[in-house]
Amino acid sequence: MALEPANTAGVPRTATPLLKDELDIVIPTIRNLDFLEMWRPFFEPYHLIIVQDGDPSKTIKVPEGFDYELYNRNDINRILGPKASCISFKDSACRCFGYMVSKKKYIFTIDDDCFVAKDPSGKPVNALEQHIKNILSPSTPFFFNTLYDPFCEGADFVRGYPFSLREGVPTAVSHGLWLNIPDYDAPTQLVKPLERNTRYVDAVLTIPKGTLFPMCGMNLTFNRDLIGPAMYFGLMGDGQPIGRYDDMWAGWCTKVICDHLGLGVKTGLPYIYHSKASNPFVNLRKEYKGIFWQEEIIPFFQSAILPKDCTTVQKCYIELSKQVKEKLGKVDPYFDKLADAMVTWIEAWDELNPAGAGATVANGKA
């Protein structure tokens, strides 16, 4: 039987939404946000930051009843000035501007082709609520628990798990998954055009320290206070030789920094229903260089070591930018440009978020 998104008509709203005043929902888009109607029972209590990509003269319609602010390219240029060059154009990577202007502790980001999923019982999945549960409970990156997340209901630490590690560490990232259209690269799309993900795995696990993963930005929550400056989705899209690696780049940088600072990353629940498969031939043009470059990028991140004096996310990120320029710059001049944009991103972040302004200065970047 074909998968269908959940019908949320009649779904009761949570009486007291979790983190209502501490979380922003960031949505990149080029179209009217009719998809929010399905999410209304879950999203309406929260503040939305909408980042409009493409033509800034186009009017984006948002359903009534939502509290939101909307930024287009003109707004980005006005707010960041010359530093706006670090924000991608004609690519969903523009969403990271929303992370920068938010003043909340937590960010949930979702794509506009992602609908409410059903769990195996047919009940609509409140993805945001599950993300919040993930992000508010500790992670266990230093020792794997065979019952996955020991902080989930009905689970605990198994026999042999060191008691000294059971307190866990703060969770910086909650990475959700997708039913229906899988998050495949173009070659896999081309050989499996009809494949749909129908497996609902009721599990959350901490990604172990030293292990990288391909982060997908369409269903993602993170603690902005803990890891926000590392959530830069890079230079992608218009004028760049690569696309569709924006969220993965952010994920690799973030995971290296989380491992260094002793923070956790979880993946698994919640699921969303990914409704639309993007064109694999268009995707192939965007990914072509990345498919070759990733064979150099992954070993780079696997071997990246951050000095002990990198004690803040900003310091870690500036150090990573230096290593990107030194080592990946040899792969292609694009990485020199990307490394410079990483520094610009941190400078812009600190200008809009002055509480962390000392971090980049202390690392020799002002």
Side-chain angles (χ1 to χ4, degrees):
M1 189 172 71
L3 280 175
E4 294 180 353
N7 182 357
T8 60
V11 174
R13 291 170 173 80
T14 305
T16 53
L18 295 168
L19 302 181
K20 176 183 178 295
D21 299 318
E22 298 181 73
L23 182 144
D24 279 335
I25 299 174
V26 174
I27 305 168
T29 192
I30 58 171
R31 59 182 64 87
N32 295 334
L33 294 181
D34 300 328
F35 91 115
L36 285 173
E37 288 293 354
M38 176 177 281
W39 288 101
R40 187 180 292 278
F42 308 130
F43 288 3
E44 195 171 30
Y46 295 88
H47 180 68
L48 312 181
I49 299 178
I50 300 163
V51 184
Q52 178 181 343
D53 195 20
D55 183 1
S57 67
K58 181 180 178 182
T59 300
I60 297 291
K61 294 181 181 179
V62 181
E64 291 186 7
F66 287 94
D67 171 40
Y68 71 93
E69 52 191 306
L70 188 151
Y71 297 92
N72 61 32
R73 192 69 201 186
N74 292 339
D75 299 315
I76 294 172
N77 291 339
R78 172 178 52 82
I79 292 168
L80 296 185
K83 292 185 175 64
S85 62
C86 72
I87 304 298
S88 299
F89 187 54
K90 294 186 178 178
D91 191 277
S92 67
C94 68
R95 80 178 77 215
C96 61
F97 177 76
Y99 310 159
M100 184 184 286
V101 297
S102 171
K103 301 304 176 189
K104 302 289 178 62
K105 183 175 181 178
Y106 301 97
I107 296 288
F108 169 56
T109 186
I110 187 170
D111 285 2
D112 61 12
D113 62 349
C114 294
F115 300 158
V116 178
K118 299 175 186 176
D119 69 15
S121 72
K123 179 182 176 183
V125 174
N126 185 344
L128 181 52
E129 182 179 59
Q130 178 64 50
H131 272 301
I132 291 172
K133 289 179 180 178
N134 293 348
I135 210 85
L136 292 182
S137 65
S139 292
T140 53
F142 304 121
F143 201 87
F144 190 80
N145 191 56
T146 50
L147 279 180
Y148 303 114
D149 190 345
F151 299 98
C152 287
E153 185 177 350
D156 210 326
F157 292 97
V158 297
R159 180 170 55 91
Y161 200 102
F163 285 90
S164 59
L165 296 178
R166 293 190 182 193
E167 184 178 347
V169 301
T171 300
V173 180
S174 170
H175 177 257
L177 300 175
W178 350 266
L179 294 175
N180 196 39
I181 305 296
D183 187 30
Y184 285 161
D185 55 33
T188 309
Q189 281 184 292
L190 287 167
V191 298
K192 295 183 174 182
L194 301 180
E195 184 159 295
R196 298 294 181 263
N197 182 32
T198 61
R199 293 190 305 155
Y200 186 102
V201 181
D202 188 5
V204 178
L205 65 149
T206 297
I207 300 175
K209 181 180 180 181
T211 300
L212 297 174
F213 76 113
M215 189 174 81
C216 174
M218 75 172 90
N219 175 23
L220 180 72
T221 295
F222 61 92
N223 185 321
R224 185 176 176 278
D225 286 357
L226 286 181
I227 202 64
M231 278 289 178
Y232 176 47
F233 278 41
L235 279 179
M236 303 281 158
D238 194 46
Q240 308 304 331
I242 185 175
R244 285 175 54 83
Y245 275 79
D246 51 331
D247 43 7
M248 292 185 290
W249 179 265
W252 296 325
C253 292
T254 293
K255 186 58 166 64
V256 168
I257 293 173
C258 282
D259 286 352
H260 175 74
L261 296 178
L263 301 171
V265 177
K266 292 185 178 184
T267 188
L269 300 177
Y271 283 89
I272 49 85
Y273 180 94
H274 187 204
S275 66
K276 187 176 64 177
S278 49
N279 187 307
F281 296 101
V282 173
N283 290 346
L284 187 59
R285 285 200 302 270
K286 294 178 180 179
E287 296 173 357
Y288 179 74
K289 288 182 179 293
I291 290 170
F292 290 96
W293 289 348
Q294 70 186 21
E295 303 306 318
E296 303 277 354
I297 294 171
I298 300 303
F300 163 75
F301 281 110
Q302 286 175 325
S303 61
I305 297 174
L306 299 175
K308 289 184 178 179
D309 63 353
C310 288
T311 54
T312 67
V313 177
Q314 283 96 328
K315 287 182 179 180
C316 291
Y317 204 72
I318 292 295
E319 174 60 30
L320 263 183
S321 74
K322 294 176 182 176
Q323 295 184 24
V324 167
K325 185 175 283 267
E326 177 188 351
K327 297 181 180 178
L328 292 181
K330 300 171 184 176
V331 175
D332 192 273
Y334 163 74
F335 291 100
D336 287 323
K337 187 177 180 182
L338 177 55
D340 291 338
M342 292 167 71
V343 176
T344 302
W345 159 264
I346 292 295
E347 292 173 345
W349 180 282
D350 284 346
E351 284 183 11
L352 293 183
N353 301 276
T360 50
V361 174
N363 211 38
K365 298 287 181 182

